[in-house]
Amino acid sequence: MSLIVVSDADLSQATFAREWVGGDVPACVIFVDASPGERVHLHRHPYAELFFVLEGTATFEDGERTIEVSAPAFVVVPAGQPHCFSNRADVQLRQIDVHLNGTFDTEWLED
């Protein structure tokens, strides 16, 4: 396999994020550009996920606690761990989420 270059035009749009599905490559990438008040509901995956907070502050929840994470920082969510995040700040949240799997496999735990 050779190098893969992914440009913005190659990404699919999903609400406040752009996504890339790796397929044979064991990773999927989401470029998040969330305005104040936007949120991803509680869910989990059968693989680990990495969140790289690049700008702003993300509020992460795991069903038991709430953590404010300000850029620059990253969060590691182990496989099977319920989690969600939101932008509760008054500035834009930009982060990159990396799913350590070639496809998205999400179990939503709330509507």
Side-chain angles (χ1 to χ4, degrees):
M1 179 182 289
S2 61
L3 295 174
I4 299 170
V5 176
V6 180
S7 69
D8 191 58
D10 300 320
L11 304 174
S12 62
Q13 185 70 39
T15 59
F16 54 85
R18 296 175 326 277
E19 301 177 345
W20 177 75
V21 177
D24 291 338
V25 176
C28 291
V29 180
I30 303 173
F31 292 84
V32 173
D33 190 2
S35 297
E38 293 188 303
R39 177 177 190 268
V40 172
H41 293 283
L42 192 68
H43 64 283
R44 64 181 162 210
H45 313 282
Y47 48 80
E49 184 175 6
L50 308 173
F51 295 85
F52 296 88
V53 180
L54 305 175
E55 294 180 27
T57 300
T59 301
F60 286 89
E61 300 175 59
D62 65 6
E64 295 180 18
R65 62 186 179 145
T66 301
I67 302 169
E68 300 285 330
V69 180
S70 296
F74 72 93
V75 175
V76 178
V77 177
Q81 174 63 53
H83 61 283
C84 63
F85 72 89
S86 60
N87 181 0
R88 294 185 185 171
D90 58 357
V91 297
Q92 204 70 7
L93 168 64
R94 290 188 176 85
Q95 68 185 32
I96 296 174
D97 306 348
V98 179
H99 291 235
L100 300 179
N101 198 54
T103 59
F104 292 112
D105 185 352
T106 305
E107 177 187 0
W108 295 100
L109 303 174
E110 66 179 3
D111 296 328

